Amino acid sequence: MKIKTNTILVTGAAGFIGYHVTKKLMSLNINVLGIDNLNNYYDVGLKNKRISLLNNIKKEKDLKNFTFFKVDLNNKDKINEIFSENNIDIVINLAAQAGVRYSIDNPESYIDSNIVGFMNILEACRSYKIKHLIYASSSSVYGMNEKQPFSTQDNTDYPISLYAATKKSNELLAFSYSHLYGIPTTGLRFFTVYGPLGRPDMAYFTFTKAILEGKAINVFNNGEMKRDFTYIDDIVEAIHKLINITPPSLDSNITKASPNYALYNIGNNNPVTLKRFITAIEDACKKKADKNLLPMQPGDVPITYADVDDLRSAIGFSPKTEIEDGIKRFVDWYLSEYK
């Protein structure tokens, strides 16, 4: 069923995925409200740059369809104020404290942002009768699952990082709200998203920087790990197609419990080794990497591989970007941005 859209709220609008999703919605002349707390988990300058780019698009094209609020999701009163003063139809919740390794040393920040903040969004969606909540989960919820590819039907009760545990909690909370209050919710388990204006803490960003500066890179598990790297444009296109679709139930076992709940993997459906990934960066940089080969790190998993059959059935999802092409686009942006 199609949903008529007036205003979409994007949380984490200054983040990597949030920026690209907001940019896409603006290009479709959809009214977008952006929220971000602009925290210093990574370079605040990059987050401010993303917001500046969105405001420049608005100015250059004489648009009136983007408004940004510097707000923390923990600020329940401010969140409710934004909802009460704007005719919000759809929420795309991309705000979260990211990073698997960071969660080992800084657990409280994940509870505050990913649990308390998400709860505030759910409550606002309930109070203001939102038509559809799309929210970010993560492939990390699969933990050490050995079955490949990962399916949304697989058991995800054993997360091996606090970050993964908070994302699994988001899925459970969303299901409860769909069941209790009839809020249509769609969860997206992202698989290693990359691309221009990406997160500086991600491997492709740090590897590119180090290779260009002639510094060594740390290669965990001797480069044998596999990741289902997913280019940002493929992610954005999928989210765009999901916006106006009332989420179906996952399977017949929960249809009666929550007919408005959906959960999808969103990945490239084609994992590549860390070795191939590094080679793609070397080729794009036209420079070889000096590699420190290291064992697996706590919280890491040997492979991520997305079964996207459900998403393909729902919206015709078909990732189009090979790792070499996507990395080349990122490196071109990086060279332009950082000279």
Side-chain angles (χ1 to χ4, degrees), residues 186-188 234-235 238-239 241-242 263-267 307-319:
T186 299
L188 299 175
D234 294 325
I235 294 285
I239 293 175
K241 289 181 178 179
L242 284 167
L263 186 63
Y264 298 112
N265 288 331
I266 182 165
D307 179 338
V308 297
D309 286 350
D310 288 344
L311 192 58
R312 186 177 292 115
S313 296
I315 60 171
F317 178 67
S318 179

Side-chain angles (χ1 to χ4, degrees), residues 100-117:
V100 169
R101 295 186 186 119
Y102 188 74
S103 70
I104 295 172
D105 298 320
N106 301 275
E108 287 186 4
S109 62
Y110 289 78
I111 301 301
D112 290 342
S113 179
N114 300 5
I115 302 295
V116 178

Side-chain angles (χ1 to χ4, degrees), residues 91-92 98 111 133 153:
V91 176
I92 303 176
I111 301 301
L133 166 64
Q153 307 301 320

